Amino acid sequence: MATTESITAAHLDQPHRGLVEIIEPDHEHYARAPGDVLRVGSALAIFIVTLLAAAILRSVISGAEADVVNLTSLVPSPVASVLTSIASAVGFFGPLAVAGTLVAIRRFRVALMVLGGIVLAGLGMWAVSKALSVQVVLPANLGELRTIQYPGSQFVASSAAAITILGPWLPRFFRRIAIGLVATVAFTNIASGTYVPYEVAVAIVLGWLVGVSLLAIFGSVNRRPSGASVAEALQRAGIDLYRLEMLGRGLRGSSIYRADVQDDRAKFVKVFSEDQRDADLLVQFYRWIRLRDAADERPFSTLRRSVEHEALIALKAADEGVPTARMVAVAEVDPDGMLLCYDYVAGDTLEGLGPDAITDEMLRGTWRIAARLRQRHIAHRDLRLAHIVADEHGAPTVVDFGFGELAARQVQLRSDIAELLCSTAVEVGAERAVAIAAEVIGPDVLGDASSRIQPLALTRATRQQLKEHDGLIGQIQAEVQRVAGLDEVRYEELARIKARTVVTVVAMTIAFYALIPRLAEVSDIGATLASAKWYWAIPLVFFLLVTWVGATVGVIGSVPDRLPFFPMLAAQVSASFVDTLAPASVGGMALNTRFMQKRGVEPAVAVAGVGLNAVSGFIVHIVLLGVFILWAGSSSSSAAGNASSSLRAPDGKTTAIVVGGLMIVVMMAWALPITRRVARTRLVPLLRDAVRGLRDLGRKPRKLVALFGGSVIVTFGFYFALLCAVQAFGGGPTPAQLGVAYLAAFAVAILAPTPGGLGALEAALIAAFQRLGMTPDAAVGSVFLFRVGTFWLPVLPGWITLGFLRRRGDL
């Protein structure tokens, strides 16, 4: 919005109307439109797909290109000559036409944008051509990137960028002519064999991407209606106003006005531009990606339908006795806009007033509005104090049904309750907000909405306010649980895609890309499997059972409380199933914490015990890795075996380099605020609890032995299971080398955010076994037998045991 305001007096073209005083900021010529953001995303996606399609579907694309070239060669010679002449004329007169257009529209900023777009698109096409001229083979032989050879494609890219930038300022007729001319140039050059279709597609899409990116950054035509257009539309709707003042911007880019009317109360006017639908599409796309329960919400097909829907909800709410502003008119506004006109509600919104200014009676009136909306199945979907206006008598009124829904689902009604509860708690505190809400709508309704009292169920504005009040949402949850008499609150799973899920998918993709070339080296896996000694699978399964016993002993030793052995053993079997669903053993740790709490262990002690168990496992892992390295080094130096498969302990120089590198990494991480905050809030408390737990367990030597002994049993259980898998395929590495390979590969894989190090552990073990002299067939067979026996086999018994524990109430 401009910082200066202009006051104009417009004499509208109505025979009985007078002058209208219009107060609004100077109308900006440029505005960043939501549609430009959508076009940037679409252009970028299509550009990436164009490159990858030609790489992965090389044979298909090549065949299609040949068909297109053969088809264009059938163009009659006279027609081809005319097209060639047109293309030559466009190449000569095109720059002159662009320059003339810039002079005609008199926009210096647009001229700079066009010049920048031409240069950037040309340079971008040159860079793409150079990059694709390098021979690049995609991983796992998925394809080979195509090469762009003809430099004239830069002209096509620059032309597409220029037309894209000029498009918003050109009439639709001239815009279509410009697009048609570029298409003619491209078609002519394809017919003559100068271009191939792939080059043309890349050039056009790249030019489009550059053009829409510049429009999104620097702005395009401001499509918002001016104050004069709004005043004229109001007068056409029969509202005789004499003053119109812009109050600001509302949700989704709408413009808010106050209209003063002759001999009547003032009007509140919401004005929507054509960009409204693009903004709705952006919001809807984000919500569809982010949230599970937004999948059935659809944006309206036109701006008119969206405005009519809001008007319908406002009328329905007023008809049902909900205190809200009376709707007066719906009207079209030039250019291509719509407006909604309501009676103006004098007063201040409750947001920001604070606990002293907001009385209990105001809160009761607000909750009576929420109760009425809920009874009539009307969802406001943005029900917070910013949309509750209190008049001079303190009576609240709800406004702005822009996101509303009729015949609302229960999940939407629960979200309204959670939204209003959190919004009021920001102003008056959790205890007072929950108490008055329970008084008006009842504890049962609060309990029903408790699953939605979480950040993702709230609007962005409320989430921002809660962030400024550390711990407030936890206080609200606890107070609702207490008032509603709930033993436990099961919060709904709202996130469709979590950041952790994205990281996991990316990590698994990278890990399997590293694994696929290893699998490609396998020559005759069938013969290898046929010759395997499958009786080694029996001790492998036995050592899997040993790992469960070791995990049970370790967890029992991690807390001072007495825990029953066999129920805890069942929990470890269940944890092996849960760990297949979450990375870094997070699922198993959560299950053990929950199980111990159900068995009477204090929550803080249970959490500390699980953390202590993890720390002890890390210590045991590092110690055993050092032992196996020393063992392997001493055994290989005294043996006259193959030098390529020997392992030696690192010398002093290597050790110093590794330690120094780790210290540098730690110092750099500590220098970054985000990693320093994570270390202070998560790592330091974990280590502090671990030290305190070790000190407490030191008074009980048997617990301390069980803690570390359990970790040793688990590690050796997996080690002997791997040894059995290797022996099943003929053996190879010595026991010491096998221990180093397993512990080192596990240390690398545990950093991968995939369940059980899936993909990463397999790739690391196969690479280590081949380095130790095993054939690719034997290495792959050994690793996959080990993973089937220790990762996939426990899924079924773990799932069965998990259901058993749930039925018993142990989880």
Side-chain angles (χ1 to χ4, degrees):
M1 183 186 296
T3 56
T4 59
E5 290 189 346
S6 61
I7 302 176
T8 60
H11 193 289
L12 304 178
D13 188 17
Q14 299 289 337
H16 58 286
R17 309 297 186 194
L19 292 176
V20 176
E21 180 186 13
I22 300 175
I23 303 174
E24 65 176 351
D26 294 332
H27 193 71
E28 299 172 335
H29 296 293
Y30 305 92
R32 294 180 179 86
D36 294 329
V37 178
L38 286 172
R39 284 181 278 274
V40 169
S42 302
L44 181 60
I46 294 174
F47 180 69
I48 294 174
V49 169
T50 303
L51 294 179
L52 293 181
I56 299 175
L57 307 175
R58 182 181 178 88
S59 59
V60 177
I61 296 296
S62 299
E65 287 179 344
D67 293 339
V68 172
V69 172
N70 292 333
L71 181 63
T72 54
S73 64
L74 300 177
V75 176
S77 298
V79 176
S81 299
V82 172
L83 292 176
T84 303
S85 300
I86 293 175
S88 301
V90 170
F92 179 78
F93 292 106
L96 297 178
V98 171
T101 303
L102 294 174
V103 172
I105 64 176
R106 298 179 182 180
R107 293 284 184 267
F108 179 71
R109 184 170 173 176
V110 178
L112 291 179
M113 290 168 59
V114 170
L115 180 61
I118 291 173
V119 173
L120 288 176
L123 290 176
M125 198 63 203
W126 174 83
V128 169
S129 303
K130 290 297 182 182
L132 296 184
S133 65
V134 179
Q135 191 74 6
V136 178
V137 179
L138 296 180
N141 297 321
L142 286 179
E144 182 179 341
L145 290 178
R146 300 294 305 274
T147 301
I148 295 177
Q149 300 174 346
Y150 185 68
S153 56
Q154 298 171 22
F155 172 78
V156 177
S158 297
S159 301
I163 291 173
T164 302
I165 295 171
L166 281 173
W169 280 270
L170 293 177
R172 182 175 301 176
F173 175 75
F174 290 106
R175 186 164 62 244
R176 290 177 176 175
I177 289 179
I179 294 173
L181 291 175
V182 173
T184 301
V185 171
F187 180 81
T188 302
N189 285 278
I190 291 174
S192 63
T194 305
Y195 298 167
V196 295
Y198 170 67
E199 295 177 359
V200 172
V202 172
I204 291 177
V205 175
L206 179 61
W208 178 38
L209 174 60
V210 171
V212 294
S213 298
L214 290 177
L215 289 175
I217 294 172
F218 297 103
S220 57
V221 173
N222 188 355
R223 303 179 183 88
R224 293 171 180 149
S226 64
S229 299
V230 174
E232 185 175 351
L234 289 172
Q235 291 200 342
R236 286 199 305 268
I239 299 173
D240 187 12
L241 71 161
Y242 64 88
R243 185 176 181 273
L244 184 69
E245 180 181 1
M246 184 175 182
L247 303 179
R249 301 289 183 198
L251 295 174
R252 300 181 296 170
S254 60
S255 301
I256 306 300
Y257 289 86
R258 170 181 171 145
D260 292 317
V261 183
Q262 301 283 357
D263 301 327
D264 198 358
R265 63 186 303 178
K267 307 301 178 186
F268 178 87
V269 185
K270 287 179 64 176
V271 182
F272 306 92
S273 67
E274 190 60 32
D275 294 333
Q276 170 76 41
R277 184 171 179 271
D278 294 334
D280 288 344
L281 284 173
L282 276 176
V283 172
Q284 175 59 29
F285 179 74
Y286 170 78
R287 288 177 57 82
W288 183 85
I289 291 292
R290 191 74 177 94
L291 303 176
R292 293 175 181 267
D293 60 2
D296 59 345
E297 298 172 12
R298 296 289 184 268
F300 293 96
S301 57
T302 62
L303 173 64
R304 175 181 288 274
R305 295 294 175 262
S306 174
V307 173
E308 288 174 347
H309 182 77
E310 182 174 347
L312 173 64
I313 297 177
L315 290 172
K316 176 64 175 175
D319 186 61
E320 295 290 353
V322 177
T324 186
R326 184 179 68 93
M327 202 200 70
V328 178
V330 180
E332 291 184 347
V333 187
D334 295 329
D336 302 323
M338 296 286 293
L339 67 77
L340 281 171
C341 182
Y342 300 88
D343 280 339
Y344 189 84
V345 180
D348 297 322
T349 64
L350 299 187
E351 184 177 79
L353 293 183
D356 297 331
I358 300 177
T359 65
D360 289 352
E361 189 55 39
M362 288 181 180
L363 291 176
R364 292 188 186 95
T366 300
W367 280 109
R368 282 192 285 268
I369 291 175
R372 172 66 67 174
L373 291 172
R374 180 182 175 86
Q375 291 169 1
R376 303 308 181 194
H377 291 275
I378 302 174
H380 189 280
R381 296 186 59 219
D382 197 10
L383 191 59
R384 51 195 176 91
L385 295 188
H387 295 141
I388 303 295
V389 180
D391 60 19
E392 61 272 14
H393 303 294
T397 299
V398 62
V399 296
D400 200 339
F401 287 91
F403 293 102
E405 290 286 345
L406 295 178
R409 296 174 292 124
Q410 287 298 319
V411 65
Q412 294 171 326
L413 299 177
R414 289 197 294 266
S415 290
D416 272 0
I417 299 299
E419 183 82 35
L420 183 58
L421 184 63
C422 292
S423 181
T424 53
V426 168
E427 297 295 333
V428 303
E431 184 176 353
R432 183 181 169 196
V434 173
I436 295 181
E439 175 188 338
V440 177
I441 64 175
D444 292 341
V445 176
L446 281 182
D448 180 60
S450 60
S451 62
R452 307 289 292 184
I453 305 176
Q454 52 177 307
L456 277 182
L458 307 174
T459 63
R460 181 180 179 183
T462 302
R463 289 199 301 270
Q464 292 295 331
Q465 291 176 333
L466 288 173
K467 286 181 180 180
E468 299 173 1
H469 298 76
D470 190 29
L472 178 59
I473 192 167
Q475 298 173 20
I476 300 170
Q477 294 168 339
E479 192 66 19
V480 169
Q481 186 174 353
R482 184 188 66 82
V483 170
L486 302 175
D487 295 332
E488 183 181 3
V489 177
R490 293 187 177 272
Y491 295 101
E492 298 178 26
E493 184 64 40
L494 299 180
R496 180 187 298 274
I497 299 178
K498 299 180 180 178
R500 187 176 64 189
T501 304
V502 175
V503 173
T504 300
V505 171
V506 172
M508 290 185 68
T509 303
I510 296 173
F512 280 111
Y513 258 34
L515 184 61
I516 287 174
R518 299 291 178 186
L519 300 179
E521 297 174 2
V522 175
S523 58
D524 193 0
I525 190 64
T528 303
L529 293 176
S531 62
K533 303 172 183 177
W534 291 105
Y535 56 80
W536 280 102
I538 297 175
L540 187 152
V541 173
F542 169 76
F543 286 116
L544 168 65
L545 302 179
V546 170
T547 62
W548 289 340
V549 174
T552 303
V553 172
V555 175
I556 290 176
S558 66
V559 293
D561 305 67
R562 293 179 60 88
L563 294 171
F565 180 83
F566 287 103
M568 181 57 72
L569 178 62
Q572 303 321 300
V573 179
S574 302
S576 62
F577 165 69
V578 176
D579 280 337
T580 62
L581 308 175
S585 300
V586 173
M589 296 172 68
L591 185 143
N592 280 324
T593 303
R594 182 66 176 167
F595 180 86
M596 287 191 287
Q597 291 178 12
K598 285 289 188 176
R599 285 287 171 169
V601 180
E602 292 293 330
V605 176
V607 172
V610 170
L612 181 60
N613 192 31
V615 171
S616 68
F618 174 77
I619 295 173
V620 168
H621 190 98
I622 296 299
V623 171
L624 290 180
L625 178 60
V627 170
F628 274 107
I629 289 176
L630 293 175
W631 180 19
S634 61
S635 62
S636 62
S637 62
S638 60
N642 186 0
S644 65
S645 63
S646 63
L647 291 173
R648 293 182 175 87
D651 55 23
K653 181 179 180 180
T654 303
T655 304
I657 293 175
V658 173
V659 173
L662 290 176
M663 292 180 63
I664 292 174
V665 171
V666 171
M667 288 188 293
M668 291 178 61
W670 189 258
L672 297 175
I674 182 171
T675 53
R676 188 166 60 248
R677 183 170 61 253
V678 170
R680 286 175 174 172
T681 57
R682 297 188 180 183
L683 182 59
V684 172
L686 176 64
L687 294 177
R688 187 187 302 117
D689 292 341
V691 172
R692 186 184 302 112
L694 287 174
R695 188 187 306 116
D696 295 338
L697 293 179
R699 304 187 186 98
K700 300 180 179 180
R702 295 177 60 182
K703 287 283 187 180
L704 203 59
V705 171
L707 174 66
F708 285 95
S711 297
V712 172
I713 294 173
V714 170
T715 304
F716 273 106
F718 282 119
Y719 164 73
F720 283 114
L722 182 60
L723 184 62
C724 293
V726 171
Q727 292 301 317
F729 288 88
T734 66
Q737 293 172 342
L738 193 64
V740 174
Y742 167 68
L743 293 172
F746 186 82
V748 173
I750 201 172
L751 298 177
T754 58
L758 192 63
L761 181 59
E762 288 85 349
L765 282 176
I766 292 173
F769 287 173
Q770 289 186 252
R771 185 176 180 84
L772 292 172
M774 292 183 68
T775 64
D777 293 347
V780 170
S782 300
V783 171
F784 274 82
L785 176 59
F786 170 71
R787 291 296 272 170
V788 168
T790 60
F791 184 78
W792 296 110
L793 183 62
V795 168
L796 181 58
W799 175 68
I800 295 174
T801 309
L802 181 65
F804 171 73
L805 292 177
R806 283 177 172 171
R807 287 192 297 272
R808 285 189 51 178
D810 286 332
L811 294 177

